[in-house]
Amino acid sequence: MNMKKLIMLYFFLAGGIAANTKNIDYTYLKMQSAPFEVDDDYLSKHDIVYFSPTQLEAEGFPMGNGDIGGMVWNHDNGIELQINKNDLWTKAQPEEYGMSLLKHAVRLKIDFGAPVFSWMHLEEFEGRLSLANAENTYRAVTGYSATTIRTWLAQDRNVWIVECENIPDPEMLGNHSVATVSLERLGSRSFTGWYGGWFAKNPSVGLGKMRAMADAREMILEETDGGLHFAVACRVVESSEEPETVNMRRAEWRTNKCKFTIMVSVATDREDKDPVNAAKKLLDEAEAKGVDELRREKDEWYRNFWSNSFVKLGDDYLENIYYLHRYLMSAGSRGEFPLAFNGGLWRWNRDVLNWGTPHHWNQQQEYWGLCAQNDWRLMKPYLDTYFKMIPFAEKLAKEYGAEHDALLITEAHNFNGVQWGKDKRYLRNNFTPASQIASLFWDYYEFTGDEEFLKERCLPASRAGLKDTLRELSLIHI
């Protein structure tokens, strides 16, 4: 194929891609290349389902709206969840080898005061994560009660909804049953470097500076340690009872209602200078909109999301991987920063991280294939974060002797630009991350045909090599 035909083919393909990417939102796309609709009953074959209670927190269900998320697991008397947020990266922590660490936000626990999910008392049980509408449900019948829990996240605001119903057997529990909703944050060491024994030995490291508060409408936890400032607010909607603080790190709300709804919000000072009031406002707005409307918006978002890509492979295991990966990226990659490679938003063990500051050899793998499966929108946190790191990459390249048009990003780095690995003997001579990042920038351009992105972001990230290649091919004027 001669150069003229190659150039014509390039513009034909690029134009076709660009035509199909004019709508950058998740609207209900009727794409010419894939005129299909994914039925709920097809996706349900890839749901995660338990027919007996789980024994470990790590066996819980991963939930998220792209910015906040967490694991949900059962215990004998109810459920517990650890809520995490995408931007809770600390500043460099001297006690933790100067690493930036992703902290958890809070733990929420619901205890019905009776063994509603105890295996030895069960008549019926099902725990299910529905991929189609991103909902987690628990249903159980015991000799004590019939219990249903339904939990999900709003898609346009950082609010987590938990709908609870526990109908006690009067002969077993009487006519009075009290459920306890607790909100707590117990920080911990990260245990990075656990495999080599080089982690913080002082158990007080990482505990944070938590302050628990309670008023007539909500429980509030506020954290101000490690360069972070965030607040979590929790409300039992339309409850006649009031919450109380247990200590500086825990608050509780007891309700005698058999059916109740919990709302939990998270806000940081990256979003609002007053996270406490911001978290309260999120709950006020969510309550005013109503659970039914929030669910409708969430269902619509996911209906549109699943319509963007579909595969039928004839192999359940491979399809499970494909659809679960799509679900996890939709649930975790819509915040400010890339989804953390080591646990994402679904860590459950307090602040244990095992690997600390981001490592790009691992980080990049979550974003492989997103464009090819038409989920290029979920690339935004990755692209934005590494584009902002260009000045830091240029500075480090000059430290290594480069004169111009060079980027150097160490394998281990903080998302704020600190090149953590530059002085580490086993990392300082790894020169590959910048080219890996440039490859994913180019991947995004190839699948979107976004020439503004190419000029403003892709080329600065790719630097001289890509410039020279494009000049030689004369595909675009730079």
Side-chain angles (χ1 to χ4, degrees), residues 142-290:
T142 69
Y144 295 105
S145 63
T147 307
T148 301
I149 299 175
R150 187 179 185 185
T151 181
W152 45 277
L153 290 92
Q155 292 303 301
D156 65 340
R157 65 200 69 211
N158 283 332
V159 176
W160 195 317
I161 312 292
V162 186
E163 301 172 273
C164 301
E165 183 177 64
N166 186 49
I167 309 300
D169 184 328
E171 294 185 3
M172 295 291 111
L173 296 176
N175 294 317
H176 180 71
S177 181
V178 174
T180 302
V181 180
S182 62
L183 195 72
E184 71 171 23
R185 185 176 192 281
L186 302 174
S188 75
R189 291 169 285 175
S190 67
F191 290 94
T192 56
W194 58 273
Y195 44 85
W198 38 282
F199 53 85
K201 303 304 189 292
N202 183 350
S204 297
V205 169
L207 297 186
K209 298 177 181 177
M210 177 56 57
R211 181 170 67 112
M213 300 168 279
D215 57 30
R217 300 200 67 198
E218 56 258 318
M219 302 180 284
I220 301 167
L221 268 61
E222 182 182 18
E223 177 63 81
T224 55
D225 193 36
L228 296 173
H229 185 192
F230 65 90
V232 181
C234 176
R235 183 178 298 173
V236 179
V237 179
E238 297 181 351
S239 174
S240 58
E241 299 84 3
E242 294 185 8
E244 61 181 8
T245 57
V246 176
N247 53 48
M248 291 177 62
R249 298 171 184 274
R250 182 184 178 95
E252 288 186 350
W253 199 323
R254 294 164 62 84
T255 178
N256 59 15
K257 291 181 179 293
C258 293
K259 186 175 182 179
F260 56 93
T261 298
I262 302 166
M263 292 184 176
V264 185
S265 64
V266 187
T268 74
D269 64 350
R270 301 180 72 87
E271 300 156 332
D272 192 291
K273 292 182 180 180
D274 187 345
V276 171
N277 282 333
K280 289 182 177 182
K281 184 178 179 182
L282 283 170
L283 295 185
D284 290 340
E285 292 173 347
E287 191 171 356
K289 177 165 280 194

Side-chain angles (χ1 to χ4, degrees), residues 421-440:
K422 70 174 185 176
D423 297 320
K424 302 294 186 292
R425 178 182 55 81
Y426 58 99
L427 292 172
R428 63 175 283 109
N429 293 321
N430 178 353
F431 302 112
T432 59
S435 59
Q436 295 163 357
I437 294 164
S439 176
L440 283 171

Side-chain angles (χ1 to χ4, degrees), residues 9 99 126 199 214 217 224 280-281 314 446 451 463:
L9 177 61
M99 289 187 173
E126 181 183 281
F199 53 85
R217 300 200 67 198
T224 55
K280 289 182 177 182
K281 184 178 179 182
E446 276 199 308
E451 292 193 2
R463 283 314 199 199

